[in-house]
């Protein structure tokens, strides 16, 4: 019914239209968008779901480079699925495929803003008890997942767009 591929530059308009449909046109005012405006998406992890029949765009997921203290991490989101096709496994496929790819690429920390009810199944848990914060965002909506053992040990503080630390001596993933 659908397959996943990496995003292509010409997917841009269809992705923007899907995000408007899923989140509403005021989505750009969300706090997490400030981080996304600061850096390009992580291209190998920006993936889409396409209909097998005609290649139509059915879902999108993107990731961004961020920093937590001097450690690097990924900010996941947005993820959205064509509203008429919700509940058919497209979201789960996009999540599992990209988290596996992120781990394979050597990333060990992922954070996102969302509902724990959906993301717990992928290993996400509240980030506040780890000492993580996204200034301006509701603390209970900030979630974190480790892709490697003890990935958040010694890593805490406010999330920053990666670009703001350019030249600041980031440690490895
Ligand atoms: C959230 C979203 C990406 C999930 O994609 P999807 O293809 O519909 O989801 P899947 O078919 O892969 O998974 C469906 C499961 O997720 C659950 N689910 C979906 N949204 C949920 C939510 N907000 N909270 C808890 N569970 C949720 C469904 O109940 C279903 O559970 P089940 O497998 O136990 O029956 C999609 O519904 C969407 O685009 N929503 C609007 C945009 C959005 O909210 N994005 C996420 C930001 S938090």
């Amino acid at each position: 019914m659908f397959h996943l591929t990496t995003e292509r530059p010409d997917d841009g308009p269809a992705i923007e239209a899907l995000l408007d449909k899923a989140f509403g046109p005021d989505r750009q005012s969300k706090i997490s968008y400030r981080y996304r405006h600061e850096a390009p998406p992580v291209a190998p992890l920006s993936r889409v779901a396409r209909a097998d029949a005609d290649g139509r765009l059915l879902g999108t997921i993107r990731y961004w480079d961020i920093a937590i203290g001097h450690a690097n991490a990924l900010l996941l989101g947005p993820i959205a699925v064509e509203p008429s096709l919700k509940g058919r496994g497209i979201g789960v496929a996009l999540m599992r495929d990209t988290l596996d790819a992120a781990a394979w690429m050597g990333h060990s920390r992922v954070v996102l803003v969302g509902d724990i009810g959906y993301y717990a199944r992928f290993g996400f848990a509240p980030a506040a008890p780890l000492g993580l914060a996204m200034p301006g965002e509701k603390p209970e909506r900030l979630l974190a997942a480790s892709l490697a053992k003890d990935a958040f040990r010694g890593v805490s503080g406010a999330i920053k767009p990666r670009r703001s630390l350019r030249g600041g001596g980031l440690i490895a993933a």
Side-chain angles (χ1 to χ4, degrees), residues 22-23 79-81 86-92 113-115 117-119 121 141:
F23 293 102
I79 173 172
V81 168
K86 278 184 186 178
R88 299 195 188 187
I90 299 174
V92 167
V113 177
D115 297 337
Y118 184 63
Y119 294 105
R121 73 193 72 195
R141 289 192 43 85

Side-chain angles (χ1 to χ4, degrees), residues 79-153:
I79 173 172
V81 168
E82 164 60 36
S84 61
L85 295 174
K86 278 184 186 178
R88 299 195 188 187
I90 299 174
V92 167
L94 285 167
M95 288 290 299
R96 296 237 157 94
D97 177 69
T98 53
L99 288 171
D100 285 352
W104 187 84
M105 288 166 66
H107 293 285
S108 57
R109 290 170 284 274
V110 186
V111 298
L112 62 79
V113 177
D115 297 337
I116 186 68
Y118 184 63
Y119 294 105
R121 73 193 72 195
F122 309 109
F124 285 85
L130 296 170
L132 309 188
M134 181 181 275
E137 185 54 74
K138 289 181 190 153
E140 67 273 17
R141 289 192 43 85
L142 185 65
L143 309 177
S146 301
L147 303 183
K149 195 166 179 287
D150 296 330
F152 284 95
R153 181 176 288 176

Side-chain angles (χ1 to χ4, degrees), residues 15-35:
I15 289 173
E16 293 304 308
L18 175 55
L19 293 174
D20 281 347
K21 245 200 282 188
F23 293 102
D26 66 340
R27 62 188 167 87
Q28 303 269 358
S29 62
K30 287 173 188 274
I31 296 290
S32 49
Y33 269 84
R34 285 190 206 156
Y35 293 81

